[in-house]
Amino acid sequence: MVNIQNIILSFRDKPGGIIEAFHAVQKEYNYLPEETIAVAAGTFGISEAQAFGVATFYSYLSVAKRGKYVIRMCESAPCHIAGAEALIKAFEEALEIKVGETTADGKFTLELTECVGQCQDTPVITINSVPYVNLDPAQVPAVLALCQ
Amino acid sequence: MTEEKRIVLRNADLINPKKIEDYMQAGGYQGLEKARLMSRSDLIAEIKKSNLRGRGGAAFNCGLKWSFVPTDAPVSYVVCNFDEGEPGTYKDRIIVQKDPQSLLEGMAICGHAVNSKQGYIYCRGEYPYVVELLNLAIDQARGKGLLGDFDIEVRMGGGAYVCGEETALIESIEGHRGEPRFKPPFPGVAGLWAQPTVVNNVETFANLPSIVLNGPEWFAAIGAPNYPGTKVLTLTGDVANRVSIEVPTTATLREIIYDFGGGIKEGKKFKAVQVGGTSGGFIPESLLDTPIDFDSMRGIGATLGTGAVFVMDETRDIVDITTRIAKFFEHESCGKCNPCREGTFRAYEIMKKINNGKAVAQDIENLTILSQVMEKACLCGLGQAAPAPILTTLKHFYPEYQARLQIH
Amino acid sequence: MITLTINGKEVHTPKGSTILEACQQNGIPIPTLCYDPDLRLAGSCRMCLVEIKGRPLYAASCVTPAENGIVVETESPGIVAARKVILELLSARHKFNCQVCEKNGDCKFQDYCYQYGIKESRFIYGEATNYGINDPNPFIERDYNKCIMCTRCVRACEEITAARAINVENRGHHAKISTAFDGNLADSSCLFCGQCVMVCPTGALTSKVSAGLGRAYEVDKVLTTCSYCGTGCTLELNVKNNRVVGVTSNRTATGSPVNKGALCVKGRFGWDFINSPDRLTTPLIKENGQFREAGWDEALDLVAKRLGEVKNEFGPDSMAVFTSARVTNEENYVAQKFTRAVLGTNNVDHCARL
Amino acid sequence: MTNSIGELEKDARCIFVIGSNTTENHPVIGMKIKKNVLYNGARLIVADPRCTDLAKIADVYMPHLPGSDVALVNAMMNVIINEGLADQDFIAQHTEGYEEMAAVIAKYTPEYAEPITGVPAEDTRKAARLFAQSGNSAICYAMGLTQHRTGTDNVKSVCNLAMLTGNIGRPGTGVDPLRGQNNVQGACDMGGLPNVFTAYQAVTNDAAREKFEKVWGVPLSGQNGLVLTEVINKAHHGEIKALYVVGENPLMSDPELEHVEEALDKVDFVVVQDIFLSETAKRADVVLPSACFAEKDGTFSNTERRVQRVRKAVSAPGKARTDWEILCEVATRMGYPMSYENSEQIFEEIRTLTPSYAGISYQRIENGGLQWPCPNEEHPGTPYLHKDGNFSRGLGAFTAIDYINPGEQPNEEYPLILTTGRSLFHYHTGTMTRRASALNEHVPAAELEVNPEQAKALGIANGGLVKVSTRRGSLEMKAKVTDMVTPGVIFTTFHFAETPANLLTSSEFLDPTAKIPEYKVSAAKVEKI
């Protein structure tokens, strides 16, 4: 893993680059480990409270530890009518966790998301930002099997 | 019958989006070249004359917007709003994925018009794969020296729908919480880092190369006179063909759903269509012959907005869908202004109560007054538009609400 | 000057004014919650909405420029309805316990609910948010169940104190004022200056030191100068029944020229030594190594007599006076006059250097 | 302060803070500086052995060794002179003594100073350029600069720096000592000093003395009195027979407490007027209860020379009386009748004898106060001194100053430098703040700040008990492991009677002019308990 300090410092000269830095850290760790906030605050000349405020504003960023595979399930209207609810339930049952939780082995985190912009093929989920489209509950085991 | 007319998607599937040479061969960057031979004021006058209106929520005359940038501003910015977050919308993604250079060329044209040296593309965080493509495209354009002294940087959003609002977007580029600013000042006067800033979306910029190349008269003659040109639409929901299309703005909703979308899936009957994304109004069958241009849509309480066309068949539960939409706004409200922060939350709670069959008439009354106040009192477009689905469904589909009440 | 019409009356205001300022200059009351003349504008509470003829949306008067010829209504039926809805929305999240609230009688939110007749909220739907009230610090009570998210505290922390200890976390209805990771103030960059308490328009932020000692309408405020460091901040001693029960601050340039209402933790929360049971209340005379209480006459006579004896026996320069950097100019003057004119020596000094 | 507090918020484009932990000791001034730096683009230079809050946001932070101020400032001036950044016009028109000073400065290259100050030469250069090239540069200092045996030299050095760059006599420039106590300025203005009457009129000046003799109606001594530290030393020798203490607490605030204690024991008669039974009051023969600031009328003069009202809010407890009333009673009983109706009447007498206060009246300061000099009732007060480079003495005098090392040097037995100061949450000897419930609850005891590296070497854990010793004595307290202090330097506060830090400080090395003890440098050692 790349050192958080180094990741963030590489954005130092980018005005307003804190969000880019957060994305870069999250790409590496799947969430923003605690020290991210202090390091980012110091790097971008703002306070920790301000950095924390930024990090918690954006739903794509997480300050809570997440699993290796973050499954975000869209439930916006087009996905909703295409059966998102059943799909969500299927994931919850398959992983034996509720939305917002992480499996005990730290492998999967289930999250809801709003639209991810793949509405031609609903319902849609993303796994670590890669979209999987046109899913139905029956495909859940196969989708999970892709995560190795 | 209306046919597809491709301006922004003119190169779609005809060129390799990863090869700038393909784009050049198809006439790419000739618009920019032509623009650079014009004076700034002439260029702005041309765009004004074309009557190109922003392909986003406000449909403001593009050239007029540019003209607000003070001519003596030492620093100004061109910002591309690529934060399309409206559920049912993915047209900007299609445009960029199929032809990224047309966006860059459009931004560079704008850069020339407002004397800007720096552009930003604010791309939603859900599209990391598109960001890669964009960066490749920028590298290629830069490598060929096509952008001249204008540079473009891509910034990623973070899953905040409100950042589609131009001032929230600017806040986000500055590294802040994406909370909208009050206006005035407008970005044209004081935007990014308090400098004059033009914010347009992908589709607006992508129109520019053709307009410059073919002249404003050419463009103004296409589609509806008050909203000329084409519109890229994305069809979702219960249509047979869930496709993206580009049509002149004279096309009607019925044509779009039935001619392009192939009608309702599985031979079912039409019930409602929501245009412009989740903040759009619900339109019943009786209004389907309305053309899609911005003003006509506004006339029926809808919005063209992002060009999302979300179709619902006869089996769909309007109250349930509206409840789900209320949840969307509850989730996406930034929380800065009172009526939106509290209003979206309470509206969702009331919708849930109705949806669960626990509500009484008073609840609908409360929902109505709340929605009416939000429309007029919220700080930004998000809160102002959030009640539209509620108010339009209450208007056109009231019996469905009534049927849910405990005491009818 | 700009001329505009407000509530049917033509009024004038300098160019660059907002509609709110135009109203204030012309004695037209506008309710505000997030507006604070010392802080950057937010335009977010929407209480100050007004209707401008020909514009489809209501305008927040605190951030809307006054323009020539505009026609403004400040209390139209639509505006009143909107304010009521806003107050009811806030009432739905605000925990009312005015009967025991420190801010009762000095609460803008309470005032407006009263003014607009908000007896109950139409919008109590869903589960009420319940934030714990447990920030273990001795200075500031943080009760976010009463917070209306005006963010004046955040802006004051940023713009007056520059401590930036708090910010808004999360978003939408779940937004809340917090330190990093929503921790305790003591673990943050908070300096406990209480500027947040000063600007809070509700009972969300109050002084723990003053808790229960007196409401705003019960106290007299006496403007004076802080007794701690040499900055010379002006503060208001809050007095109830001849007892200091708190410190507030005046924010006007004339009333508070150095600090414009800003104080530090000592000035705002360090006042209760005044009422300490350790205060000396009677003269003491030492006899056989022990102090005993004495009357003034006895003590003063003794001091005068002994000083006189020393002066006679050893001369004036065998005596010295330490005057004080903590007593008034007048007292310092009297002390050095006493040293020079009465004792007859220049042996007078104070701890300027220590 | 030559200038006004408000100027630090906007007018100053560069602020050089040396020996002042402003955000803790003058919090409201600290806020203004911070805002100017964070939001208004002002540049900030901080020289301090501790990495204070301001140091963290400084453009240049120089953690110089305690007591090396002259070397540091001389090195900055060396850079300014050598790089042609001095304000030659200002020097030519408004100053004297430049050549002599420049001759001394010549050897103080940043490289020469580096081993003395511990500040990298490059940082000194950066600081010098920033200070000289920012337009309006102000200097703020506090006890960190003055509490050395070279305190007067240190102050004169920063005056040199201000004059060298022409940073005097305009808003946002100047030399700004931040006074530590609410009315230190006033006590000095009022002649609470052994060599001057009010407004610094020398007791040795015949005309001044005659003026006071005439109004007071008695002959006055023309011989300078003893400063506080000299009084203690003389008392130690048995030469002070009576001591009258008004609201001071030398048994906490003075150096080498054991020495003070012995001295007080030798004084035949000690009177203490105070609001609490302070450590000093406990040693008194007679204790007289006085009123605190909330219980009396009067005026305080703040660090920017602003005379402001103090207003009575409540009555004093029990039989307590105001300090002036008590003093008048004693004077009267000693055969010199002194009585005033109220504090305003005293102030009126002050005005007649004090040129800089002559234009100030209670009526005029009802709203907002006035900054002296204010010579007449029409005068608006003086926000900043030396306007347009016009010094009260005519030309501003440069002083050639060589660096002298602190009196006490670390050695094998006492390898560390102990420096003392204050906490945000307490005030001076703690008589008030220790009895302010919230402040005392929040910070109930002193801590010894130790650098992590140092702590590791000594096996000290954060919060662990340590013994800190100097040649004078030892104290036990908890350690606070923090990189706020550099290795080699330890820090504690002097607010706490349980751990009186001045038990450790020395009274041996005094500034020859101001007689300030060297609080900021004591050779010390720390042991884990």
Side-chain angles (χ1 to χ4, degrees):
Chain A
M1 292 244 182
V2 189
N3 180 292
I4 287 174
Q5 185 125 14
N6 292 344
I7 295 175
I8 294 174
L9 279 178
S10 70
F11 292 90
R12 181 173 40 188
D13 298 326
K14 218 184 248 276
I18 188 169
I19 296 167
E20 294 287 300
F22 283 158
H23 276 298
V25 172
Q26 188 158 292
K27 200 172 170 193
E28 199 70 28
Y29 291 85
N30 255 349
Y31 78 110
L32 306 177
E34 191 171 328
E35 67 166 295
T36 310
I37 299 300
V39 175
T43 305
F44 293 98
I46 59 175
S47 76
E48 289 185 29
Q50 289 171 322
F52 186 72
V54 171
T56 57
F57 182 85
Y58 296 96
S59 65
Y60 200 74
L61 303 172
S62 174
V63 292
K65 194 167 166 44
R66 299 198 289 189
K68 187 176 169 197
Y69 295 98
V70 179
I71 302 176
R72 308 189 87 205
M73 303 169 294
C74 174
E75 218 222 329
S76 290
C79 284
H80 180 71
I81 66 164
E85 232 167 288
L87 188 65
I88 290 164
K89 222 171 152 209
F91 272 108
E92 284 184 334
E93 277 167 12
L95 294 174
E96 297 179 332
I97 55 171
K98 293 273 167 218
V99 165
E101 294 176 351
T102 299
T103 52
D105 61 1
K107 193 169 174 189
F108 293 102
T109 298
L110 277 184
E111 283 179 4
L112 287 188
T113 179
E114 295 296 347
C115 184
V116 297
Q118 295 286 347
C119 326
Q120 74 284 0
D121 296 306
T122 49
V124 184
I125 67 160
T126 64
I127 301 177
N128 293 352
S129 302
V130 178
Y132 293 80
V133 299
N134 264 335
L135 294 181
D136 65 57
Q139 289 168 282
V140 167
V143 169
L144 291 177
L146 290 172
C147 303
Q148 287 307 328
Chain B
M1 171 192 152
T2 303
E3 291 193 2
E4 239 194 308
K5 163 88 186 165
R6 293 190 162 199
I7 298 176
V8 302
L9 292 174
R10 66 195 178 283
N11 295 323
D13 304 320
L14 301 175
I15 63 166
N16 181 345
K18 290 185 177 164
K19 286 172 81 174
I20 193 170
E21 293 79 9
D22 281 19
Y23 182 70
M24 305 284 290
Q25 228 157 29
Y29 284 100
Q30 287 176 15
L32 177 60
E33 209 174 305
K34 189 175 165 193
R36 283 188 173 145
L37 295 173
M38 289 187 231
S39 72
R40 291 181 49 197
S41 53
D42 285 353
L43 177 56
I44 290 177
E46 291 267 289
I47 302 300
K48 234 187 242 179
K49 208 159 121 195
S50 77
N51 200 13
L52 170 66
R53 292 170 67 182
R55 262 43 181 167
F60 201 76
N61 183 294
C62 186
L64 190 59
K65 194 182 223 180
W66 297 3
S67 70
F68 296 149
V69 175
T71 46
D72 56 351
V75 180
S76 63
Y77 297 103
V78 174
V79 171
C80 172
N81 184 345
F82 185 14
D83 193 48
E84 57 176 358
E86 285 285 1
T89 301
Y90 57 92
K91 52 115 180 163
D92 288 342
R93 172 172 64 77
I94 295 290
I95 296 169
V96 173
Q97 280 187 316
K98 293 189 184 287
D99 188 10
Q101 295 294 347
S102 67
L103 165 61
L104 306 186
E105 185 181 352
M107 288 178 71
I109 290 170
C110 177
H112 177 66
V114 301
N115 196 23
S116 168
K117 304 280 172 261
Q118 182 65 52
Y120 287 95
I121 299 172
Y122 186 84
C123 177
R124 59 184 315 208
E126 287 79 1
Y127 291 164
Y129 42 94
V130 188
V131 171
E132 282 170 31
L133 176 67
L134 267 175
N135 280 326
L136 175 75
I138 293 168
D139 282 346
Q140 289 177 352
R142 225 187 255 141
K144 288 202 174 301
L146 291 164
L147 297 176
D149 60 355
F150 182 73
D151 201 18
I152 299 175
E153 190 185 324
V154 183
R155 289 290 178 94
M156 267 169 90
Y161 166 80
V162 70
C163 289
E165 199 281 342
E166 59 182 1
T167 59
L169 185 154
I170 285 169
E171 286 284 320
S172 187
I173 293 180
E174 291 183 4
H176 304 145
R177 294 167 58 81
E179 294 175 357
R181 300 173 179 174
F182 53 81
K183 294 187 267 196
F186 290 91
V189 178
L192 191 58
W193 291 298
Q195 304 301 322
T197 302
V198 169
V199 186
N200 283 128
N201 74 5
V202 171
E203 189 179 355
T204 313
F205 282 123
N207 265 299
L208 292 169
S210 303
I211 294 175
V212 173
L213 208 55
N214 301 321
E217 294 81 6
W218 165 81
F219 185 79
I222 300 165
N226 57 353
Y227 190 87
T230 58
K231 187 77 188 89
V232 181
L233 304 171
T234 52
L235 276 60
T236 63
D238 297 324
V239 280
N241 311 321
R242 292 191 279 179
V243 293
S244 58
I245 54 168
E246 183 175 358
V247 292
T249 52
T250 38
T252 65
L253 284 173
R254 193 180 300 279
E255 287 171 331
I256 287 155
I257 294 166
Y258 288 92
D259 298 348
F260 295 97
I264 305 302
K265 220 165 44 177
E266 295 160 13
K268 289 186 185 138
K269 275 195 200 141
F270 172 90
K271 184 177 209 171
V273 60
Q274 190 187 25
V275 182
T278 250
S279 59
F282 279 59
I283 296 160
E285 167 95 43
S286 61
L287 298 172
L288 282 188
D289 292 315
T290 315
I292 58 156
D293 73 85
F294 188 84
D295 301 330
S296 303
M297 283 288 121
R298 179 166 276 183
I300 59 168
T303 163
L304 175 60
T306 64
V309 179
F310 173 45
V311 179
M312 288 151 274
D313 71 29
E314 56 184 328
T315 67
R316 296 305 179 186
D317 180 341
I318 293 291
V319 173
D320 181 59
I321 293 169
T322 310
T323 306
R324 175 50 231 177
I325 289 172
K327 185 180 179 188
F328 173 84
F329 286 111
E330 187 269 341
H331 185 250
E332 296 298 344
S333 168
C334 81
K336 180 174 178 175
C337 82
N338 273 331
C340 179
R341 182 186 61 246
E342 306 303 334
T344 52
F345 176 75
R346 301 298 167 183
Y348 175 47
E349 292 294 336
I350 300 174
M351 282 305 304
K352 273 199 289 192
K353 192 175 175 191
I354 298 169
N355 200 22
N356 292 337
K358 302 251 170 70
V360 295
Q362 181 65 44
D363 294 318
I364 292 186
E365 221 168 278
N366 292 349
L367 182 64
T368 307
I369 174 80
L370 173 61
S371 299
Q372 285 164 348
V373 166
M374 284 176 69
E375 271 190 315
K376 289 188 150 199
C378 284
L379 173 68
C380 85
L382 187 153
Q384 291 155 13
I390 292 170
L391 288 172
T392 52
T393 51
L394 277 170
K395 183 175 172 192
H396 300 304
F397 302 94
Y398 188 71
E400 296 203 24
Y401 280 87
Q402 212 171 16
R404 288 287 229 290
L405 296 185
Q406 267 189 339
I407 310 149
H408 298 303
Chain C
M1 287 297 263
I2 278 173
T3 306
L4 65 162
T5 306
I6 304 178
N7 299 344
K9 208 180 106 200
E10 204 165 84
V11 301
H12 308 279
T13 186
K15 201 166 184 275
S17 305
T18 61
I19 293 176
L20 176 66
E21 284 161 346
C23 289
Q24 287 171 339
Q25 289 152 11
N26 289 282
I28 300 160
I30 300 269
T32 61
L33 288 170
C34 72
Y35 172 77
D36 188 307
D38 296 333
L39 303 174
R40 73 170 190 273
L41 296 166
S44 65
C45 76
R46 316 305 281 177
M47 271 307 287
C48 71
L49 290 175
V50 295
E51 209 166 340
I52 302 172
K53 202 174 166 191
R55 294 191 194 173
L57 302 174
Y58 297 150
S61 60
C62 68
V63 294
T64 305
E67 290 173 42
N68 253 325
I70 58 171
V71 177
V72 177
E73 288 290 334
T74 69
E75 295 280 339
S76 67
I79 291 297
V80 170
R83 290 196 190 132
K84 282 185 171 181
V85 164
I86 288 165
L87 287 169
E88 285 182 62
L89 285 170
L90 291 174
S91 300
R93 72 176 278 161
H94 180 95
K95 185 179 168 193
F96 287 93
N97 59 357
C98 303
Q99 73 278 17
V100 291
C101 183
E102 284 298 317
K103 290 283 275 194
N104 185 29
D106 184 29
C107 171
K108 282 190 128 188
F109 185 53
Q110 188 188 45
D111 291 347
Y112 297 145
C113 284
Y114 178 79
Q115 185 184 334
Y116 288 95
I118 309 302
K119 293 184 179 125
E120 54 192 331
S121 172
R122 279 171 286 187
F123 302 114
I124 298 176
Y125 290 92
E127 267 178 52
T129 323
N130 194 1
Y131 298 113
I133 313 167
N134 180 28
D135 193 278
N137 78 76
F139 308 107
I140 300 170
E141 181 85 329
R142 305 166 79 194
D143 182 355
Y144 290 119
N145 298 314
K146 292 180 189 164
C147 173
I148 55 166
M149 291 298 292
C150 70
T151 69
R152 279 163 74 172
C153 54
V154 174
R155 286 175 282 150
C157 191
E158 211 168 287
E159 296 168 41
I160 301 179
T161 307
R164 304 179 295 177
I166 47 171
N167 193 13
V168 181
E169 66 162 1
N170 299 326
R171 70 179 188 216
H173 183 73
H174 311 282
K176 175 179 170 284
I177 309 300
S178 85
T179 62
F181 299 100
D182 205 5
N184 295 333
L185 287 179
D187 301 322
S188 75
S189 55
C190 175
L191 302 170
F192 296 104
C193 65
Q195 254 72 272
C196 53
V197 176
M198 171 178 82
V199 298
C200 182
T202 74
L205 298 170
T206 52
S207 162
K208 286 185 182 174
V209 188
S210 297
L213 298 182
R215 255 77 173 263
Y217 53 83
E218 298 175 301
V219 303
D220 292 322
K221 291 182 176 182
V222 179
L223 211 58
T224 192
T225 304
C226 181
S227 68
Y228 288 116
C229 79
T231 305
C233 297
T234 308
L235 47 75
E236 295 168 334
L237 291 173
N238 290 199
V239 179
K240 181 181 163 185
N241 300 334
N242 197 28
R243 193 179 161 87
V244 175
V245 295
V247 161
T248 50
S249 51
N250 181 307
R251 289 207 265 159
T252 61
T254 49
S256 180
V258 176
N259 52 315
K260 293 215 177 77
L263 292 174
C264 77
V265 62
K266 292 190 287 288
R268 198 180 295 278
F269 299 111
W271 49 268
D272 61 342
F273 71 87
I274 298 169
N275 306 324
S276 166
D278 294 351
R279 282 292 297 274
L280 291 169
T281 55
T282 180
L284 302 172
I285 293 174
K286 196 175 269 173
E287 273 176 2
N288 306 322
Q290 294 288 318
F291 282 121
R292 67 162 172 85
E293 294 189 355
W296 273 111
D297 279 335
E298 185 192 6
L300 292 168
D301 283 343
L302 176 64
V303 171
K305 179 173 151 273
R306 292 287 287 121
L307 292 178
E309 286 167 6
V310 171
K311 185 177 175 183
N312 286 335
E313 196 172 337
F314 300 99
D317 290 335
S318 68
M319 296 183 288
V321 172
F322 291 167
T323 183
S324 175
R326 287 181 291 273
V327 303
T328 62
N329 286 329
E330 292 77 359
E331 289 166 332
N332 272 296
Y333 174 81
V334 168
Q336 59 95 32
K337 182 177 176 183
F338 169 76
T339 314
R340 295 186 160 114
V342 183
L343 300 185
T345 175
N346 281 316
N347 288 345
V348 57
D349 200 4
H350 67 282
C351 69
R353 307 167 181 89
L354 312 177
Chain D
M1 287 172 72
T2 59
N3 287 52
S4 289
I5 291 169
E7 295 168 21
L8 295 170
E9 188 170 6
K10 49 181 205 303
D11 303 302
R13 301 322 302 141
C14 174
I15 302 169
F16 178 27
V17 177
I18 178 165
S20 160
N21 184 2
T22 323
T23 55
E24 293 212 48
N25 292 335
H26 300 87
V28 171
I29 298 177
M31 291 169 198
K32 289 175 194 275
I33 294 175
K34 233 172 141 178
K35 279 192 297 195
N36 200 350
V37 172
L38 288 177
Y39 314 129
N40 198 19
R43 314 303 291 267
L44 179 65
I45 305 163
V46 174
D48 203 298
R50 292 171 78 217
C51 186
T52 59
D53 227 25
L54 286 184
K56 288 181 194 135
I57 59 161
D59 292 278
V60 185
Y61 166 47
M62 302 183 285
H64 67 313
L65 287 167
S68 66
D69 308 78
V70 167
L72 181 71
V73 176
N74 278 359
M76 285 173 69
M77 290 195 283
N78 178 286
V79 174
I80 289 167
I81 292 172
N82 286 337
E83 297 191 0
L85 304 175
D87 186 339
Q88 295 301 344
D89 289 349
F90 186 90
I91 295 166
Q93 288 167 29
H94 302 293
T95 69
E96 59 189 13
Y98 172 75
E99 297 303 330
E100 294 83 340
M101 181 203 66
V104 170
I105 295 300
K107 77 171 177 209
Y108 285 91
T109 62
E111 283 73 16
Y112 173 82
E114 185 170 330
I116 305 172
T117 60
V119 176
E122 215 28 61
D123 288 349
T124 310
R125 283 203 173 82
K126 255 195 257 170
R129 291 172 191 144
L130 214 50
F131 188 84
Q133 295 182 307
S134 293
N136 288 336
S137 296
I139 300 169
C140 292
Y141 67 87
M143 297 304 194
L145 194 74
T146 57
Q147 290 179 338
H148 295 279
R149 74 159 158 172
T150 57
T152 305
D153 283 354
N154 293 352
V155 171
K156 284 181 176 168
S157 288
V158 296
C159 292
N160 284 344
L161 176 64
M163 289 192 292
L164 182 69
T165 52
N167 276 307
I168 199 100
R170 296 189 310 278
T173 65
V175 178
D176 297 329
L178 308 178
R179 312 303 304 256
Q181 295 172 64
N182 57 331
N183 203 29
V184 141
Q185 186 67 51
C188 295
D189 296 347
M190 290 301 107
L193 296 169
N195 58 336
V196 290
F197 297 112
T198 63
Y200 312 96
Q201 302 170 81
V203 297
T204 51
N205 179 313
D206 293 343
R209 209 167 56 249
E210 275 164 31
K211 181 168 84 174
F212 280 87
E213 283 174 340
K214 207 171 154 196
V215 174
W216 292 351
V218 286
L220 297 171
S221 164
Q223 190 195 337
N224 282 337
L226 301 170
V227 303
L228 195 143
T229 36
E230 287 171 335
V231 170
I232 298 292
N233 286 340
K234 285 243 178 183
H236 212 258
H237 293 122
E239 292 168 36
I240 296 291
K241 300 295 180 189
L243 182 63
Y244 197 123
V245 181
V246 180
E248 291 277 284
N249 192 9
L251 260 181
M252 277 287 283
S253 62
D254 290 18
E256 217 170 312
L257 289 180
E258 227 165 282
H259 177 78
V260 182
E261 227 173 302
E262 288 165 14
L264 284 189
D265 285 347
K266 289 183 183 166
V267 179
D268 290 349
F269 186 63
V270 178
V271 186
V272 173
Q273 262 173 231
D274 210 322
I275 62 172
F276 292 112
L277 195 65
S278 68
E279 289 67 26
T280 309
K282 284 179 190 157
R283 299 247 157 192
D285 297 285
V286 178
V287 176
L288 304 173
S290 62
C292 80
F293 83 111
E295 296 147 3
K296 61 192 175 192
D297 283 304
T299 56
F300 286 154
S301 300
N302 78 349
T303 188
E304 59 172 359
R305 300 164 279 105
R306 186 186 296 272
V307 182
Q308 305 189 99
R309 276 300 312 274
V310 176
R311 293 185 180 86
K312 181 174 174 172
V314 291
S315 25
K319 298 178 190 161
R321 300 171 75 173
T322 62
D323 289 290
W324 65 265
E325 284 175 310
I326 302 170
L327 286 163
C328 287
E329 286 281 357
V330 177
T332 306
R333 283 161 207 253
M334 287 182 74
Y336 181 90
M338 260 168 88
S339 76
Y340 298 94
E341 295 270 311
N342 49 40
S343 65
E344 186 170 8
Q345 207 179 37
I346 306 172
F347 195 83
E348 287 300 313
E349 182 175 321
I350 295 169
R351 287 176 66 190
T352 62
L353 287 163
T354 313
S356 56
Y357 278 63
I360 304 173
S361 66
Y362 273 27
Q363 198 194 338
R364 286 194 74 194
I365 59 172
E366 182 60 25
N367 290 310
L370 279 168
Q371 286 170 279
W372 66 258
C374 181
N376 58 60
E377 294 238 2
E378 283 69 47
H379 196 282
T382 309
Y384 58 95
L385 303 175
H386 316 309
K387 187 161 193 261
D388 305 321
N390 296 317
F391 293 94
S392 37
R393 67 183 292 277
L395 293 177
F398 281 107
T399 322
I401 300 164
D402 241 325
Y403 165 73
I404 303 166
N405 59 19
E408 214 171 74
Q409 293 291 315
N411 61 12
E412 239 174 68
E413 194 187 352
Y414 298 102
L416 305 173
I417 297 176
L418 168 71
T419 181
T420 64
R422 300 182 184 186
S423 144
L424 168 64
F425 297 96
H426 285 285
Y427 176 67
H428 216 243
T429 66
T431 37
M432 299 192 292
T433 53
R434 294 300 305 283
R435 292 174 177 95
S437 53
L439 297 172
N440 196 47
E441 181 185 333
H442 194 63
V443 178
E447 291 173 320
L448 186 77
E449 289 183 6
V450 186
N451 180 276
E453 199 179 297
Q454 200 85 57
K456 208 174 158 194
L458 294 166
I460 294 168
N462 192 29
L465 210 56
V466 293
K467 184 165 120 182
V468 52
S469 317
T470 65
R471 293 184 179 90
R472 269 74 55 194
S474 301
L475 291 175
E476 288 178 8
M477 60 181 81
K478 280 184 179 169
K480 181 180 179 185
V481 177
T482 167
D483 47 20
M484 186 148 176
V485 287
T486 45
V489 176
I490 52 175
F491 170 87
T492 193
T493 54
F494 65 100
H495 309 298
F496 301 90
E498 301 89 329
T499 51
N502 284 323
L503 206 68
L504 305 175
T505 54
S506 161
S507 62
E508 185 183 348
F509 302 100
L510 297 184
D511 178 86
T513 315
K515 314 286 192 220
I516 296 181
E518 194 154 70
Y519 285 123
K520 298 301 182 198
V521 187
S522 301
K525 66 176 171 189
V526 179
E527 297 154 282
K528 183 182 162 186
I529 302 178

